[in-house]
Amino acid sequence: MENRLAQSWHEPNVITYEQKISRKIAGYSTLYDLTSKLMSVSVNKEEEKSILIVGAGGGQELLALGDDSKWSFMAVDSSKPMLELAKSRTTELNKHICFQQQEWEEFSSSERFDGATCLLVLHFIKGIDNKRKFLKNIAKHLKPDAPFLVAAIFGDLKSTSFEMHMAAWKQYMCGNGVSEQEFLDFAQNFGKSTEVISDKQMVELLHECGFTEISRYFGSFLIQGFYCRRSKLE
């Protein structure tokens, strides 16, 4: 990613991410709480299981999923500062966590995981072909029938409903102390660093990439979360 927003993931001031993101996303903590609860009923938390976290920088998934379970984690992120933030926030978790700094398209492991999450990442993957490769690589690293929970921004940039959601989202952010300029920077990145597809396209893409039993479990303005499972067929 070549723009200023993409570069910011690798800058030291990214440590302020966790302080800001909850003021930008309505229901931010709810997203992670619901993700944790869905994962816990899909993967027995009393058994030793391995969970893959794609885009783990910041550590919020680790904090939500790591509490009161016997799971171990593979936490992958391309940003060194974000992974350092994740490490600093999870030092008190008595968990086996393997942190790996790597671009996802280069990630490869012989391990097949019992479940995976990818929250608020997919809209930064540019191009439908790259999104497809991204999701197929996740599917390749999952055991058959393993749960996968993914959340991202979806929508049709040319639709009236997209404009209405963005207008309401602006009111929400600015009402939570986000500056108007910061919102404008966020909005101007749509079609640039932030590349969205429709929720219908997402469901089709998940099916194409080897996922089944797809259902929506979270919604907040243009952000949607989908629960699905890796196909039982190899």
Side-chain angles (χ1 to χ4, degrees):
M1 292 180 281
E2 300 174 353
N3 54 67
R4 181 169 59 84
L5 178 64
Q7 292 171 353
S8 70
W9 295 118
H10 302 275
E11 295 174 356
N13 64 3
V14 79
I15 61 172
T16 63
Y17 172 82
E18 285 301 324
Q19 300 168 13
K20 295 180 178 180
I21 191 65
S22 61
R23 292 190 281 118
K24 294 180 178 179
I25 297 178
Y28 176 74
S29 62
T30 300
L31 168 61
Y32 288 85
D33 184 44
L34 296 180
T35 298
S36 174
K37 285 179 170 54
L38 267 173
M39 187 66 78
S40 72
V41 298
S42 301
V43 179
N44 192 329
K45 66 180 180 180
E46 300 304 322
E47 297 178 359
E48 294 183 357
K49 302 290 186 178
S50 59
I51 307 297
L52 175 64
I53 300 180
V54 182
Q60 192 65 30
E61 291 97 327
L62 290 167
L63 291 170
L65 295 168
D67 184 39
D68 192 30
S69 74
K70 292 185 177 180
W71 301 337
S72 62
F73 300 91
M74 171 67 76
V76 184
D77 202 286
S78 63
S79 166
K80 183 177 180 179
M82 286 292 280
L83 273 185
E84 291 299 322
L85 176 60
K87 289 179 184 179
S88 69
R89 297 183 71 212
T90 56
T91 53
E92 295 185 3
L93 281 180
N94 185 23
K95 302 294 173 186
H96 175 72
I97 305 172
C98 178
F99 291 96
Q100 187 161 337
Q101 182 196 347
Q102 192 170 38
E103 295 292 343
W104 177 250
E105 57 266 27
E106 299 171 4
F107 177 80
S108 180
S109 172
S110 59
E111 183 174 2
R112 301 286 290 277
F113 296 89
D114 297 292
T117 65
C118 180
L119 304 182
L120 308 178
V121 174
L122 189 67
H123 47 261
F124 294 122
I125 307 300
K126 298 186 70 175
I128 193 71
D129 288 339
N130 288 329
K131 292 182 193 295
R132 183 179 294 109
K133 291 176 184 177
F134 183 86
L135 292 169
K136 282 187 174 181
N137 199 25
I138 294 175
K140 184 179 75 172
H141 285 89
L142 288 174
K143 294 177 182 178
D145 204 36
F148 174 48
L149 291 94
V150 54
I153 301 173
F154 299 100
D156 178 359
L157 273 65
K158 298 179 181 179
S159 69
T160 301
S161 64
F162 188 92
E163 293 180 8
M164 295 301 100
H165 275 281
M166 287 297 288
W169 204 348
K170 177 182 179 181
Q171 286 188 9
Y172 177 85
M173 286 194 195
C174 293
N176 278 334
V178 176
S179 71
E180 185 166 347
Q181 185 57 55
E182 193 169 359
F183 174 83
L184 289 175
D185 290 341
F186 164 75
Q188 288 169 0
N189 275 297
F190 281 89
K192 298 176 183 177
S193 69
T194 305
E195 188 171 292
V196 302
I197 57 176
S198 70
D199 52 351
K200 180 181 178 180
Q201 286 177 296
M202 182 59 177
V203 171
E204 293 171 352
L205 197 56
L206 285 169
H207 277 300
E208 182 183 344
C209 293
F211 295 100
T212 61
E213 300 182 36
I214 302 163
S215 61
R216 196 181 78 153
Y217 75 97
F218 177 82
S220 171
F221 293 123
L222 296 165
I223 296 174
Q224 296 189 60
F226 290 93
Y227 172 88
C228 56
R229 304 185 78 93
R230 174 72 169 87
S231 173
K232 295 180 182 179
L233 303 176
E234 292 290 342

PDB file of all heavy atoms in Angstrom, residues 54-90:
ATOM      1  N   VAL A  54      -5.262 -13.288  11.899  1.00  0.00           N
ATOM      2  CA  VAL A  54      -4.710 -12.577  10.743  1.00  0.00           C
ATOM      3  C   VAL A  54      -4.950 -11.083  10.922  1.00  0.00           C
ATOM      4  O   VAL A  54      -6.085 -10.633  10.996  1.00  0.00           O
ATOM      5  CB  VAL A  54      -5.374 -13.073   9.434  1.00  0.00           C
ATOM      6  CG1 VAL A  54      -4.752 -12.363   8.234  1.00  0.00           C
ATOM      7  CG2 VAL A  54      -5.230 -14.582   9.304  1.00  0.00           C
ATOM      8  N   GLY A  55      -3.868 -10.320  10.999  1.00  0.00           N
ATOM      9  CA  GLY A  55      -3.982  -8.907  11.312  1.00  0.00           C
ATOM     10  C   GLY A  55      -4.097  -8.717  12.804  1.00  0.00           C
ATOM     11  O   GLY A  55      -5.018  -8.067  13.304  1.00  0.00           O
ATOM     12  N   ALA A  56      -3.141  -9.302  13.536  1.00  0.00           N
ATOM     13  CA  ALA A  56      -3.230  -9.367  15.000  1.00  0.00           C
ATOM     14  C   ALA A  56      -2.672  -8.143  15.698  1.00  0.00           C
ATOM     15  O   ALA A  56      -2.741  -8.045  16.918  1.00  0.00           O
ATOM     16  CB  ALA A  56      -2.497 -10.612  15.507  1.00  0.00           C
ATOM     17  N   GLY A  57      -2.109  -7.202  14.943  1.00  0.00           N
ATOM     18  CA  GLY A  57      -1.513  -6.027  15.555  1.00  0.00           C
ATOM     19  C   GLY A  57      -2.498  -5.255  16.397  1.00  0.00           C
ATOM     20  O   GLY A  57      -3.662  -5.083  16.016  1.00  0.00           O
ATOM     21  N   GLY A  58      -2.046  -4.807  17.553  1.00  0.00           N
ATOM     22  CA  GLY A  58      -2.927  -4.120  18.491  1.00  0.00           C
ATOM     23  C   GLY A  58      -3.320  -5.026  19.636  1.00  0.00           C
ATOM     24  O   GLY A  58      -3.475  -4.590  20.768  1.00  0.00           O
ATOM     25  N   GLY A  59      -3.507  -6.329  19.339  1.00  0.00           N
ATOM     26  CA  GLY A  59      -3.733  -7.315  20.382  1.00  0.00           C
ATOM     27  C   GLY A  59      -5.144  -7.487  20.880  1.00  0.00           C
ATOM     28  O   GLY A  59      -5.377  -8.274  21.801  1.00  0.00           O
ATOM     29  N   GLN A  60      -6.125  -6.776  20.289  1.00  0.00           N
ATOM     30  CA  GLN A  60      -7.488  -6.853  20.826  1.00  0.00           C
ATOM     31  C   GLN A  60      -8.073  -8.256  20.718  1.00  0.00           C
ATOM     32  O   GLN A  60      -8.764  -8.729  21.624  1.00  0.00           O
ATOM     33  CB  GLN A  60      -8.393  -5.844  20.119  1.00  0.00           C
ATOM     34  CG  GLN A  60      -9.735  -5.636  20.789  1.00  0.00           C
ATOM     35  CD  GLN A  60      -9.617  -5.016  22.175  1.00  0.00           C
ATOM     36  OE1 GLN A  60      -8.694  -4.267  22.447  1.00  0.00           O
ATOM     37  NE2 GLN A  60     -10.541  -5.349  23.064  1.00  0.00           N
ATOM     38  N   GLU A  61      -7.815  -8.946  19.584  1.00  0.00           N
ATOM     39  CA  GLU A  61      -8.310 -10.315  19.449  1.00  0.00           C
ATOM     40  C   GLU A  61      -7.712 -11.222  20.510  1.00  0.00           C
ATOM     41  O   GLU A  61      -8.396 -12.071  21.084  1.00  0.00           O
ATOM     42  CB  GLU A  61      -7.978 -10.885  18.057  1.00  0.00           C
ATOM     43  CG  GLU A  61      -8.736 -10.244  16.920  1.00  0.00           C
ATOM     44  CD  GLU A  61      -7.923  -9.157  16.252  1.00  0.00           C
ATOM     45  OE1 GLU A  61      -7.133  -8.485  16.940  1.00  0.00           O
ATOM     46  OE2 GLU A  61      -8.061  -8.978  15.039  1.00  0.00           O
ATOM     47  N   LEU A  62      -6.409 -11.065  20.768  1.00  0.00           N
ATOM     48  CA  LEU A  62      -5.743 -11.907  21.763  1.00  0.00           C
ATOM     49  C   LEU A  62      -6.343 -11.701  23.143  1.00  0.00           C
ATOM     50  O   LEU A  62      -6.549 -12.652  23.898  1.00  0.00           O
ATOM     51  CB  LEU A  62      -4.251 -11.601  21.787  1.00  0.00           C
ATOM     52  CG  LEU A  62      -3.468 -12.052  20.548  1.00  0.00           C
ATOM     53  CD1 LEU A  62      -2.082 -11.426  20.534  1.00  0.00           C
ATOM     54  CD2 LEU A  62      -3.373 -13.566  20.500  1.00  0.00           C
ATOM     55  N   LEU A  63      -6.635 -10.449  23.480  1.00  0.00           N
ATOM     56  CA  LEU A  63      -7.239 -10.164  24.779  1.00  0.00           C
ATOM     57  C   LEU A  63      -8.646 -10.755  24.877  1.00  0.00           C
ATOM     58  O   LEU A  63      -9.040 -11.273  25.917  1.00  0.00           O
ATOM     59  CB  LEU A  63      -7.284  -8.658  25.014  1.00  0.00           C
ATOM     60  CG  LEU A  63      -5.925  -7.971  25.226  1.00  0.00           C
ATOM     61  CD1 LEU A  63      -6.097  -6.458  25.212  1.00  0.00           C
ATOM     62  CD2 LEU A  63      -5.275  -8.426  26.519  1.00  0.00           C
ATOM     63  N   ALA A  64      -9.401 -10.672  23.788  1.00  0.00           N
ATOM     64  CA  ALA A  64     -10.779 -11.166  23.800  1.00  0.00           C
ATOM     65  C   ALA A  64     -10.839 -12.693  23.784  1.00  0.00           C
ATOM     66  O   ALA A  64     -11.629 -13.301  24.498  1.00  0.00           O
ATOM     67  CB  ALA A  64     -11.546 -10.605  22.599  1.00  0.00           C
ATOM     68  N   LEU A  65      -9.982 -13.311  22.972  1.00  0.00           N
ATOM     69  CA  LEU A  65     -10.030 -14.756  22.798  1.00  0.00           C
ATOM     70  C   LEU A  65      -9.193 -15.506  23.826  1.00  0.00           C
ATOM     71  O   LEU A  65      -9.466 -16.663  24.136  1.00  0.00           O
ATOM     72  CB  LEU A  65      -9.526 -15.139  21.398  1.00  0.00           C
ATOM     73  CG  LEU A  65     -10.359 -14.660  20.209  1.00  0.00           C
ATOM     74  CD1 LEU A  65      -9.593 -14.854  18.917  1.00  0.00           C
ATOM     75  CD2 LEU A  65     -11.679 -15.403  20.152  1.00  0.00           C
ATOM     76  N   GLY A  66      -8.166 -14.838  24.357  1.00  0.00           N
ATOM     77  CA  GLY A  66      -7.222 -15.536  25.216  1.00  0.00           C
ATOM     78  C   GLY A  66      -7.684 -15.727  26.637  1.00  0.00           C
ATOM     79  O   GLY A  66      -7.098 -16.510  27.382  1.00  0.00           O
ATOM     80  N   ASP A  67      -8.713 -15.041  27.029  1.00  0.00           N
ATOM     81  CA  ASP A  67      -9.187 -15.134  28.415  1.00  0.00           C
ATOM     82  C   ASP A  67      -9.905 -16.464  28.663  1.00  0.00           C
ATOM     83  O   ASP A  67     -10.799 -16.848  27.918  1.00  0.00           O
ATOM     84  CB  ASP A  67     -10.129 -13.960  28.708  1.00  0.00           C
ATOM     85  CG  ASP A  67     -10.577 -13.933  30.156  1.00  0.00           C
ATOM     86  OD1 ASP A  67      -9.745 -14.227  31.029  1.00  0.00           O
ATOM     87  OD2 ASP A  67     -11.747 -13.622  30.403  1.00  0.00           O
ATOM     88  N   ASP A  68      -9.484 -17.162  29.716  1.00  0.00           N
ATOM     89  CA  ASP A  68     -10.190 -18.360  30.164  1.00  0.00           C
ATOM     90  C   ASP A  68     -10.324 -19.422  29.064  1.00  0.00           C
ATOM     91  O   ASP A  68     -11.396 -19.945  28.792  1.00  0.00           O
ATOM     92  CB  ASP A  68     -11.588 -17.989  30.689  1.00  0.00           C
ATOM     93  CG  ASP A  68     -12.241 -19.150  31.430  1.00  0.00           C
ATOM     94  OD1 ASP A  68     -11.493 -19.953  32.008  1.00  0.00           O
ATOM     95  OD2 ASP A  68     -13.469 -19.252  31.412  1.00  0.00           O
ATOM     96  N   SER A  69      -9.214 -19.745  28.411  1.00  0.00           N
ATOM     97  CA  SER A  69      -9.220 -20.825  27.432  1.00  0.00           C
ATOM     98  C   SER A  69      -7.859 -21.503  27.436  1.00  0.00           C
ATOM     99  O   SER A  69      -6.885 -20.973  27.953  1.00  0.00           O
ATOM    100  CB  SER A  69      -9.534 -20.291  26.025  1.00  0.00           C
ATOM    101  OG  SER A  69      -8.417 -19.604  25.501  1.00  0.00           O
ATOM    102  N   LYS A  70      -7.815 -22.699  26.853  1.00  0.00           N
ATOM    103  CA  LYS A  70      -6.561 -23.441  26.755  1.00  0.00           C
ATOM    104  C   LYS A  70      -5.955 -23.313  25.356  1.00  0.00           C
ATOM    105  O   LYS A  70      -5.101 -24.106  24.975  1.00  0.00           O
ATOM    106  CB  LYS A  70      -6.802 -24.916  27.104  1.00  0.00           C
ATOM    107  CG  LYS A  70      -7.159 -25.146  28.552  1.00  0.00           C
ATOM    108  CD  LYS A  70      -7.260 -26.636  28.858  1.00  0.00           C
ATOM    109  CE  LYS A  70      -7.561 -26.870  30.334  1.00  0.00           C
ATOM    110  NZ  LYS A  70      -7.658 -28.314  30.653  1.00  0.00           N
ATOM    111  N   TRP A  71      -6.390 -22.304  24.624  1.00  0.00           N
ATOM    112  CA  TRP A  71      -5.927 -22.161  23.254  1.00  0.00           C
ATOM    113  C   TRP A  71      -4.524 -21.564  23.178  1.00  0.00           C
ATOM    114  O   TRP A  71      -4.100 -20.799  24.043  1.00  0.00           O
ATOM    115  CB  TRP A  71      -6.880 -21.258  22.472  1.00  0.00           C
ATOM    116  CG  TRP A  71      -8.290 -21.742  22.425  1.00  0.00           C
ATOM    117  CD1 TRP A  71      -8.737 -23.023  22.591  1.00  0.00           C
ATOM    118  CD2 TRP A  71      -9.453 -20.947  22.196  1.00  0.00           C
ATOM    119  NE1 TRP A  71     -10.097 -23.090  22.476  1.00  0.00           N
ATOM    120  CE2 TRP A  71     -10.570 -21.827  22.235  1.00  0.00           C
ATOM    121  CE3 TRP A  71      -9.674 -19.602  21.956  1.00  0.00           C
ATOM    122  CZ2 TRP A  71     -11.875 -21.379  22.042  1.00  0.00           C
ATOM    123  CZ3 TRP A  71     -10.972 -19.157  21.765  1.00  0.00           C
ATOM    124  CH2 TRP A  71     -12.055 -20.038  21.809  1.00  0.00           C
ATOM    125  N   SER A  72      -3.847 -21.887  22.075  1.00  0.00           N
ATOM    126  CA  SER A  72      -2.609 -21.206  21.711  1.00  0.00           C
ATOM    127  C   SER A  72      -2.893 -20.406  20.443  1.00  0.00           C
ATOM    128  O   SER A  72      -3.875 -20.669  19.736  1.00  0.00           O
ATOM    129  CB  SER A  72      -1.482 -22.214  21.473  1.00  0.00           C
ATOM    130  OG  SER A  72      -1.803 -23.080  20.392  1.00  0.00           O
ATOM    131  N   PHE A  73      -2.008 -19.437  20.149  1.00  0.00           N
ATOM    132  CA  PHE A  73      -2.294 -18.506  19.060  1.00  0.00           C
ATOM    133  C   PHE A  73      -1.091 -18.289  18.141  1.00  0.00           C
ATOM    134  O   PHE A  73       0.054 -18.216  18.605  1.00  0.00           O
ATOM    135  CB  PHE A  73      -2.718 -17.145  19.629  1.00  0.00           C
ATOM    136  CG  PHE A  73      -3.947 -17.198  20.480  1.00  0.00           C
ATOM    137  CD1 PHE A  73      -3.856 -17.400  21.859  1.00  0.00           C
ATOM    138  CD2 PHE A  73      -5.209 -17.077  19.929  1.00  0.00           C
ATOM    139  CE1 PHE A  73      -4.986 -17.465  22.654  1.00  0.00           C
ATOM    140  CE2 PHE A  73      -6.348 -17.142  20.717  1.00  0.00           C
ATOM    141  CZ  PHE A  73      -6.236 -17.340  22.084  1.00  0.00           C
ATOM    142  N   MET A  74      -1.396 -18.184  16.859  1.00  0.00           N
ATOM    143  CA  MET A  74      -0.448 -17.681  15.870  1.00  0.00           C
ATOM    144  C   MET A  74      -0.949 -16.306  15.465  1.00  0.00           C
ATOM    145  O   MET A  74      -2.020 -16.176  14.865  1.00  0.00           O
ATOM    146  CB  MET A  74      -0.380 -18.597  14.651  1.00  0.00           C
ATOM    147  CG  MET A  74       0.424 -18.014  13.485  1.00  0.00           C
ATOM    148  SD  MET A  74       2.199 -17.849  13.812  1.00  0.00           S
ATOM    149  CE  MET A  74       2.713 -19.565  13.648  1.00  0.00           C
ATOM    150  N   ALA A  75      -0.209 -15.259  15.843  1.00  0.00           N
ATOM    151  CA  ALA A  75      -0.625 -13.877  15.612  1.00  0.00           C
ATOM    152  C   ALA A  75       0.233 -13.268  14.508  1.00  0.00           C
ATOM    153  O   ALA A  75       1.436 -13.047  14.700  1.00  0.00           O
ATOM    154  CB  ALA A  75      -0.490 -13.069  16.895  1.00  0.00           C
ATOM    155  N   VAL A  76      -0.383 -13.008  13.365  1.00  0.00           N
ATOM    156  CA  VAL A  76       0.351 -12.542  12.190  1.00  0.00           C
ATOM    157  C   VAL A  76      -0.047 -11.116  11.842  1.00  0.00           C
ATOM    158  O   VAL A  76      -1.234 -10.774  11.806  1.00  0.00           O
ATOM    159  CB  VAL A  76       0.079 -13.456  10.973  1.00  0.00           C
ATOM    160  CG1 VAL A  76       0.911 -13.022   9.774  1.00  0.00           C
ATOM    161  CG2 VAL A  76       0.353 -14.918  11.322  1.00  0.00           C
ATOM    162  N   ASP A  77       0.945 -10.266  11.586  1.00  0.00           N
ATOM    163  CA  ASP A  77       0.678  -8.896  11.149  1.00  0.00           C
ATOM    164  C   ASP A  77       1.899  -8.391  10.393  1.00  0.00           C
ATOM    165  O   ASP A  77       3.034  -8.776  10.696  1.00  0.00           O
ATOM    166  CB  ASP A  77       0.386  -7.979  12.340  1.00  0.00           C
ATOM    167  CG  ASP A  77      -0.387  -6.736  11.928  1.00  0.00           C
ATOM    168  OD1 ASP A  77       0.212  -5.847  11.317  1.00  0.00           O
ATOM    169  OD2 ASP A  77      -1.596  -6.669  12.213  1.00  0.00           O
ATOM    170  N   SER A  78       1.675  -7.518   9.420  1.00  0.00           N
ATOM    171  CA  SER A  78       2.790  -6.979   8.631  1.00  0.00           C
ATOM    172  C   SER A  78       3.490  -5.814   9.319  1.00  0.00           C
ATOM    173  O   SER A  78       4.606  -5.449   8.957  1.00  0.00           O
ATOM    174  CB  SER A  78       2.292  -6.520   7.253  1.00  0.00           C
ATOM    175  OG  SER A  78       1.365  -5.453   7.404  1.00  0.00           O
ATOM    176  N   SER A  79       2.844  -5.214  10.316  1.00  0.00           N
ATOM    177  CA  SER A  79       3.367  -4.008  10.963  1.00  0.00           C
ATOM    178  C   SER A  79       4.119  -4.348  12.250  1.00  0.00           C
ATOM    179  O   SER A  79       3.530  -4.884  13.198  1.00  0.00           O
ATOM    180  CB  SER A  79       2.214  -3.048  11.281  1.00  0.00           C
ATOM    181  OG  SER A  79       2.631  -2.037  12.179  1.00  0.00           O
ATOM    182  N   LYS A  80       5.398  -4.013  12.292  1.00  0.00           N
ATOM    183  CA  LYS A  80       6.195  -4.254  13.501  1.00  0.00           C
ATOM    184  C   LYS A  80       5.680  -3.452  14.690  1.00  0.00           C
ATOM    185  O   LYS A  80       5.520  -4.002  15.790  1.00  0.00           O
ATOM    186  CB  LYS A  80       7.667  -3.938  13.246  1.00  0.00           C
ATOM    187  CG  LYS A  80       8.566  -4.225  14.442  1.00  0.00           C
ATOM    188  CD  LYS A  80      10.028  -3.960  14.121  1.00  0.00           C
ATOM    189  CE  LYS A  80      10.909  -4.251  15.342  1.00  0.00           C
ATOM    190  NZ  LYS A  80      12.344  -4.018  15.045  1.00  0.00           N
ATOM    191  N   PRO A  81       5.401  -2.127  14.540  1.00  0.00           N
ATOM    192  CA  PRO A  81       4.873  -1.366  15.682  1.00  0.00           C
ATOM    193  C   PRO A  81       3.555  -1.914  16.215  1.00  0.00           C
ATOM    194  O   PRO A  81       3.323  -1.944  17.424  1.00  0.00           O
ATOM    195  CB  PRO A  81       4.704   0.051  15.126  1.00  0.00           C
ATOM    196  CG  PRO A  81       5.658   0.132  13.991  1.00  0.00           C
ATOM    197  CD  PRO A  81       5.664  -1.243  13.397  1.00  0.00           C
ATOM    198  N   MET A  82       2.685  -2.381  15.317  1.00  0.00           N
ATOM    199  CA  MET A  82       1.401  -2.922  15.758  1.00  0.00           C
ATOM    200  C   MET A  82       1.593  -4.234  16.523  1.00  0.00           C
ATOM    201  O   MET A  82       0.921  -4.487  17.529  1.00  0.00           O
ATOM    202  CB  MET A  82       0.471  -3.134  14.566  1.00  0.00           C
ATOM    203  CG  MET A  82      -0.098  -1.850  13.990  1.00  0.00           C
ATOM    204  SD  MET A  82      -1.267  -1.032  15.121  1.00  0.00           S
ATOM    205  CE  MET A  82      -2.752  -1.990  14.826  1.00  0.00           C
ATOM    206  N   LEU A  83       2.518  -5.071  16.066  1.00  0.00           N
ATOM    207  CA  LEU A  83       2.790  -6.305  16.784  1.00  0.00           C
ATOM    208  C   LEU A  83       3.426  -6.027  18.142  1.00  0.00           C
ATOM    209  O   LEU A  83       3.145  -6.717  19.128  1.00  0.00           O
ATOM    210  CB  LEU A  83       3.701  -7.221  15.965  1.00  0.00           C
ATOM    211  CG  LEU A  83       3.023  -8.161  14.971  1.00  0.00           C
ATOM    212  CD1 LEU A  83       4.058  -9.080  14.333  1.00  0.00           C
ATOM    213  CD2 LEU A  83       1.935  -8.995  15.630  1.00  0.00           C
ATOM    214  N   GLU A  84       4.286  -5.007  18.199  1.00  0.00           N
ATOM    215  CA  GLU A  84       4.878  -4.631  19.481  1.00  0.00           C
ATOM    216  C   GLU A  84       3.799  -4.154  20.447  1.00  0.00           C
ATOM    217  O   GLU A  84       3.850  -4.436  21.649  1.00  0.00           O
ATOM    218  CB  GLU A  84       5.934  -3.532  19.279  1.00  0.00           C
ATOM    219  CG  GLU A  84       7.187  -3.987  18.568  1.00  0.00           C
ATOM    220  CD  GLU A  84       7.928  -5.074  19.328  1.00  0.00           C
ATOM    221  OE1 GLU A  84       7.969  -5.011  20.574  1.00  0.00           O
ATOM    222  OE2 GLU A  84       8.450  -6.005  18.676  1.00  0.00           O
ATOM    223  N   LEU A  85       2.808  -3.439  19.914  1.00  0.00           N
ATOM    224  CA  LEU A  85       1.682  -3.009  20.739  1.00  0.00           C
ATOM    225  C   LEU A  85       0.915  -4.225  21.256  1.00  0.00           C
ATOM    226  O   LEU A  85       0.542  -4.290  22.429  1.00  0.00           O
ATOM    227  CB  LEU A  85       0.751  -2.096  19.925  1.00  0.00           C
ATOM    228  CG  LEU A  85      -0.535  -1.633  20.606  1.00  0.00           C
ATOM    229  CD1 LEU A  85      -0.237  -0.848  21.874  1.00  0.00           C
ATOM    230  CD2 LEU A  85      -1.370  -0.783  19.638  1.00  0.00           C
ATOM    231  N   ALA A  86       0.697  -5.197  20.364  1.00  0.00           N
ATOM    232  CA  ALA A  86       0.001  -6.418  20.766  1.00  0.00           C
ATOM    233  C   ALA A  86       0.765  -7.153  21.866  1.00  0.00           C
ATOM    234  O   ALA A  86       0.173  -7.631  22.843  1.00  0.00           O
ATOM    235  CB  ALA A  86      -0.196  -7.333  19.562  1.00  0.00           C
ATOM    236  N   LYS A  87       2.076  -7.229  21.706  1.00  0.00           N
ATOM    237  CA  LYS A  87       2.898  -7.904  22.721  1.00  0.00           C
ATOM    238  C   LYS A  87       2.790  -7.197  24.069  1.00  0.00           C
ATOM    239  O   LYS A  87       2.646  -7.840  25.113  1.00  0.00           O
ATOM    240  CB  LYS A  87       4.358  -7.939  22.271  1.00  0.00           C
ATOM    241  CG  LYS A  87       4.644  -8.882  21.116  1.00  0.00           C
ATOM    242  CD  LYS A  87       6.115  -8.818  20.722  1.00  0.00           C
ATOM    243  CE  LYS A  87       6.406  -9.686  19.510  1.00  0.00           C
ATOM    244  NZ  LYS A  87       7.836  -9.598  19.110  1.00  0.00           N
ATOM    245  N   SER A  88       2.856  -5.864  24.048  1.00  0.00           N
ATOM    246  CA  SER A  88       2.828  -5.107  25.298  1.00  0.00           C
ATOM    247  C   SER A  88       1.484  -5.230  26.005  1.00  0.00           C
ATOM    248  O   SER A  88       1.408  -5.179  27.234  1.00  0.00           O
ATOM    249  CB  SER A  88       3.141  -3.627  25.032  1.00  0.00           C
ATOM    250  OG  SER A  88       2.087  -2.993  24.323  1.00  0.00           O
ATOM    251  N   ARG A  89       0.411  -5.401  25.235  1.00  0.00           N
ATOM    252  CA  ARG A  89      -0.926  -5.489  25.828  1.00  0.00           C
ATOM    253  C   ARG A  89      -1.269  -6.895  26.318  1.00  0.00           C
ATOM    254  O   ARG A  89      -2.264  -7.084  27.014  1.00  0.00           O
ATOM    255  CB  ARG A  89      -1.991  -5.038  24.815  1.00  0.00           C
ATOM    256  CG  ARG A  89      -1.871  -3.588  24.375  1.00  0.00           C
ATOM    257  CD  ARG A  89      -3.003  -3.206  23.448  1.00  0.00           C
ATOM    258  NE  ARG A  89      -4.280  -3.124  24.156  1.00  0.00           N
ATOM    259  CZ  ARG A  89      -5.459  -3.421  23.608  1.00  0.00           C
ATOM    260  NH1 ARG A  89      -5.521  -3.848  22.359  1.00  0.00           N
ATOM    261  NH2 ARG A  89      -6.574  -3.301  24.291  1.00  0.00           N
ATOM    262  N   THR A  90      -0.465  -7.884  25.931  1.00  0.00           N
ATOM    263  CA  THR A  90      -0.809  -9.271  26.264  1.00  0.00           C
ATOM    264  C   THR A  90       0.243  -9.935  27.147  1.00  0.00           C
ATOM    265  O   THR A  90       0.243 -11.163  27.281  1.00  0.00           O
ATOM    266  CB  THR A  90      -0.983 -10.101  24.974  1.00  0.00           C
ATOM    267  OG1 THR A  90       0.224 -10.016  24.176  1.00  0.00           O
ATOM    268  CG2 THR A  90      -2.154  -9.583  24.146  1.00  0.00           C
TER     269      THR A  90
END
